[in-house]
Amino acid sequence: MSGKWLVLVAWWGVLGALPTSGLAKSLLWDCSDPKGAGPGRCNVQYFVHTNAPSVATQRMANSLGSNASFSSQKMVLSESSQAKKSLYSEEEIFYMNCRAAYLAVFKSSLENIKSKEQLCLVLQQAGRNPSQKTIDKYWTPQTITLNFDDFCNILKKEKPATKTELIKAFLKVNTNNDGYILHTELYKILTMRGEKMTVQEVNAITELADVNSNGKLDYNKFCKLYMTTIEQCCKTALEKLEVDSRLRCQQFGSQIETSSERPTKSSSRTTRKIDHKSAPTRGDSRTSSRPSSSQNCRASISSTISMSTSRNTNSELIESNTVKDWQCAQAKGCFFLEEDGEIITHRYKLYLPQRSTVYITIKPLNLSQLEGKTSSWLSVDTAVYVLKENESQENLQLVSFTEVRNKEMFKWKGELGSGIYWLIPFTTGCRLKKINKQITGEAKLVYKDEDGELALTKEFKAALSDIFEMIDLDGNGLLSLEEYNFFELRTSGEKCDEEAWAVCRENFDTKKNELTRQGFMDLHLMEANDHEGDPSDLWVTLLSLGYNKALEMIEACPFVIDIYAEKCKPRIKAINLEAGSRQLNRAVCTSVVKKGDAKVLDNGESIIVYTYKSDARITSVIENKSENKVVIHVNNEQSKNCVNNRELNIFAVEVAPKSMMVCQHVMSLNEQEDWIYNCVYSLLP
């Protein structure tokens, strides 16, 4: 496959049925070595034609984490890879395809995606055909760069096209079902709707001899050509990985040697030592759990930890009757799951006027529930990292974090000096993740009463009451302007100014210049009336707060933080709402390095894997002290009753020179059963 010979149009959704419905996209593929890097690279110039659908459209993506998607991934393996297919798991095939696509565009998977254009290009290289809406979903105004992990997560969410979907889309236009679209109709659709294509771009489609004749496009041939090209492009990238020895060494596969040794982690914290023997030499003789080639990796280490079922902590940090006389401050907040899997949360400042013993707890907030419904978020793990503020916010030092567990509560007790501290809530993402739950019917939000007036349904009122409880950060039963603005920023991206707040106080029930629960309800009733009962904007609010169309909060976890101080009155204030920051990542790494067990992965003692075990989770951090990047293959297949934040048992990470990174968080899948963490780390050459 070479030369400029393919111009493809992928149709998606409902086309032509309505004046403002439908989505069409075209790709110009050039596999003639665009970068001068030899045959096999694909240059993708894309044109997008889109009309905002007035009916539901189907996305062409297929989650690479699902079983269905792997069938299409397996199709693009080269012949040599097909011969080895029995050696690869579905997850390994997924990552090989991810890496092949990424390295067809970038020199290294350490290189970041720096623009929308690059994101579109690398998604197309992976067999996707993203719309502008899809690109905007992952590249927001706040996005600066995306890395290889982000790219893999996107591919897990966006499905590849199928021939059946394309044919169905064409049939929306070709009402007589004869297999052809007139060029005149094609020009009309592609040049007059949405993000319009130019006449020259449409000409490139109609001039394809293989799929056009007598002024018509044969869309059955076109769809076959499109699917063949997608598969060929992915196959070409994979073949390049196999031919190029340097890239082949970075493949993610089960051919990596895994050690059968499974040393048990030491629980001693007093004299933690680095295990130098855990890094095998090249001459070590080891057996593999599957057929493998010893020259494919330089070293492997394994870590096995047996964990018992979750129980209450026998030794309490402090008795409840001891702290009941201490002064207390409380703050509520929430973890929100973004569309791309990122977790947003409130961050706080803690003010201590003098040195004092302090007791800090965090737990999921148990909101009122309708009969028969349970709180899915109560099983979500929570923690608070305490960081001391020095000269600037950028220079925050880790003090400690809540690691002792008592049921769903995590806590810490210690002495803090006077000053300002940052409290950064944290959850691993093992249990707060996207849930593809089938909804049989959309919950009703409003109805007309006997007088013909709009009213809120009982179910919607219950949801609004829970939301009020969640956004009432100080727990005083009222919403201040500051608290309301956190709600507005999350749901609309805007703030309410003093003038607008004054109007709100005049029209809705308030107390002490703060909005009451009833006032909050009435505010949403007014919104429903403003839109004549159309619940669309109300659903925007609910969905942004983690609710689904059945009015279940499944993508958020409200929590409550309590701070007790023995000798002074602590004050806590919510400062912002943001995703995991550099300070939080550094704090997690620092805590694992300080408290975890360390094993050296290489002979030069420059690659170290730290494993930290608490009552509820296991976290591993990889440190690279060398001057070069390293690629670590991670295999969790022998673990039992485990779930990790990456949602994959086999993956690989690249660690930049002179840096450290969180490799994974692992928790029990079923808390009522014992679980075994068994992870093999292999250093790739």
Side-chain angles (χ1 to χ4, degrees), residues 446 453-455 522 524-534:
V446 296
E453 299 292 329
L454 281 176
D522 293 340
H524 286 82
L525 179 58
M526 182 198 73
E527 185 175 1
N529 277 294
D530 286 347
H531 293 84
E532 299 179 345
D534 183 354

Side-chain angles (χ1 to χ4, degrees), residues 70-98:
F70 284 117
S71 60
S72 62
Q73 290 295 306
K74 292 173 184 176
M75 290 170 59
V76 300
L77 287 174
S78 64
E79 291 182 7
S80 59
S81 294
Q82 289 284 1
K84 304 174 188 174
K85 188 168 65 173
S86 61
L87 300 181
Y88 293 94
S89 71
E90 292 177 342
E91 292 177 276
E92 290 171 322
I93 293 171
F94 166 48
Y95 264 91
M96 281 167 42
N97 280 280
C98 288

Side-chain angles (χ1 to χ4, degrees), residues 163-181:
K163 185 177 179 180
T164 302
E165 289 170 339
L166 299 179
I167 294 292
K168 284 182 179 179
F170 274 110
L171 288 173
K172 294 293 182 178
V173 177
N174 180 219
T175 54
N176 60 3
N177 197 23
D178 65 356
Y180 295 94
I181 302 292

Side-chain angles (χ1 to χ4, degrees), residues 52-72:
S54 58
V55 294
T57 60
Q58 262 191 318
R59 289 192 300 176
M60 291 169 57
N62 188 19
S63 172
L64 288 171
S66 69
N67 293 332
S69 66
F70 284 117
S71 60
S72 62

Side-chain angles (χ1 to χ4, degrees), residues 136 178 199 210 222 256 356 397 506 582 586 592 601 635:
D136 291 341
D178 65 356
V199 173
D210 292 345
F222 174 83
I256 302 302
S356 175
Q397 295 182 341
E506 291 175 4
R582 184 174 59 86
R586 186 169 59 189
V592 171
L601 188 53
N635 189 325

Side-chain angles (χ1 to χ4, degrees), residues 73-142:
Q73 290 295 306
K74 292 173 184 176
M75 290 170 59
V76 300
L77 287 174
S78 64
E79 291 182 7
S80 59
S81 294
Q82 289 284 1
K84 304 174 188 174
K85 188 168 65 173
S86 61
L87 300 181
Y88 293 94
S89 71
E90 292 177 342
E91 292 177 276
E92 290 171 322
I93 293 171
F94 166 48
Y95 264 91
M96 281 167 42
N97 280 280
C98 288
R99 190 168 182 79
Y102 205 84
L103 293 179
V105 178
F106 301 104
K107 293 180 180 179
S108 164
S109 52
L110 274 181
E111 190 174 343
N112 287 337
I113 300 169
K114 298 177 182 178
S115 67
K116 286 185 177 182
E117 291 72 24
Q118 285 185 341
L119 175 59
C120 186
L121 183 66
V122 73
L123 286 175
Q124 289 167 340
Q125 184 65 52
R128 306 303 188 271
N129 191 9
S131 66
Q132 190 60 50
K133 182 178 179 181
T134 300
I135 295 296
D136 291 341
K137 179 171 69 174
Y138 297 109
W139 194 281
T140 68
Q142 289 75 41

